[in-house]
Amino acid sequence: MGEMLFGDAKGIKHFLVITIGTGLGSGIVINGEVLYGHDGFAGEIGHTIAKSGGRRCSCGRFGCLETYVSGRGMRQTISELLGASFDKSSLRDMLLA
């Protein structure tokens, strides 16, 4: 609703918002109304299983998309990749800072 009232979606009646931060958030607006779905979670993509048996998510399931594409998830992936290599990388310095 904030995007529709004050943000880049002002005046737009149909849109999708995806936010990436410590988690992965999303929302769907159709005809100027937030789509909630029958269980209140329509548009929730962060807890879609992306990798069966993957990383444990804060929701208790394994392999949720959020555990790979959120800021926290990307940091973990980078740490794992750098841990498997001794190559120089400016990312290594950023993670240690």
Side-chain angles (χ1 to χ4, degrees), residues 20-88:
I20 298 175
T22 55
L24 175 65
S26 58
I28 301 171
V29 173
I30 299 175
N31 290 324
E33 300 285 330
V34 175
L35 180 65
Y36 293 102
H38 75 279
D39 60 359
F41 292 102
E44 173 56 67
I45 62 170
H47 297 288
T48 301
I49 302 299
K51 183 176 182 183
S52 181
R55 294 179 183 157
R56 184 174 185 95
C57 184
S58 61
C59 73
R61 300 188 327 164
F62 291 88
C64 290
L65 184 59
E66 180 172 298
T67 66
Y68 296 95
V69 303
S70 66
R72 191 176 295 149
M74 287 188 276
R75 184 181 177 101
Q76 183 176 347
T77 298
I78 292 167
S79 293
E80 290 170 0
L81 292 171
L82 291 174
S85 168
F86 293 106
D87 296 339
K88 283 188 164 199

